[in-house]
Amino acid sequence: MKEGLLTYELTNDYLNIGDYVQSIAAKQFLSNNHDRVYIDRVHLNSYDGDEVALIMNGWFLMTPKNFPPSKKIKPVLVSHHINISVHEHFSKSPEIIAFYKENEPVGCRDYFTMDFLKSLGVEVYYTGCLTLTLGDTFQTTERSNKVYFVDPRYKKHKGFVNKFKTALYGIKRFSTINAIRKKFKKDNKLKSWYKTIEFYKSYSQIFTDDVLINAEYVKHFVPGKQFKNEDEIFEFGENLLRKYAQANFVVTARIHCALPSLSMGTPTIYVDIPDDSDVSDCRLNGIKEYFHVVQNSRGILSTDLVKNGQKIDWNTKIENKKDFLVVKEKIKKNVIEQLQKIHGS
């Protein structure tokens, strides 16, 4: 039997490299490169090739009408997230409910998904995210002494008065903000200046200027047209993981930067500043507990890593929590056993 690997459609000509990080995690468990099949997450129902074993970790599904998958797909349902955006459709579809019951127990990435599937009468259990296993492949003792801010979310202030105050703040700290802008937003547009000032106002509360000026700034949404094929995208994602593995520390609002970094032993700080979207935030129950967290309360940022007005600098010692290790070993064992069962080993 062939083995499948999930791929992902572009969104407005951009792709989310975090999706591919999830597939890189699944790729670790596949055996035969020659029999590997790329299957687009949005078109699982239309797959019509040879029977294929497919690890179905991640967020399902952007296009609910294309679910459940083709009968030719033999699913390994682990690290599975069913987003609130498709709950109504899934709960009203006998075919979808039957799919989950035929393949129960379903390994869920978060407690939110567990509760939803339980409400449909499906047997479930908690797995956490498969990206917690990426340390087995990418962890290294080499260090680059770099700090990465990966899509660091920050509170945006609206209204003329707030924008005026922000502009004055930027003028007073022009040289520092200009140095950050060149790396954070890269262009000289007025909008980029404003976003950089907003970012600096937030993060200078808990990070030194030296960190903010000299950090590397990374985006997980990247232009898709720069890649010729799926193999190039996977290579790009793997190279990004190698950078995170060597980092001094990582600060991010992206769970598929934070979880891999944690698993690779990189000191990791997760930014929990909500974007007022249930679609995104419903994913976090059963995930963010593993991290040191930056939180926002009325414009004041705080973290358990520093107290009494102290700030995180280049030499701050950040020791990751270890709670994820038991979850990691359980999910590895589970995936291996399910694949062996499908292959008849």
Side-chain angles (χ1 to χ4, degrees), residues 307-324:
K307 298 178 181 178
N308 302 322
Q310 295 176 325
K311 294 186 180 182
I312 297 170
D313 63 25
W314 220 264
N315 298 312
T316 299
K317 299 299 181 184
I318 301 170
E319 185 174 344
N320 289 333
K321 298 179 181 181
K322 306 296 184 184
D323 310 45
F324 77 96

Side-chain angles (χ1 to χ4, degrees), residues 104-115:
E104 61 187 6
V106 176
C108 301
R109 194 174 76 184
D110 52 89
Y111 298 123
F112 187 84
T113 299
M114 283 182 62
D115 291 341

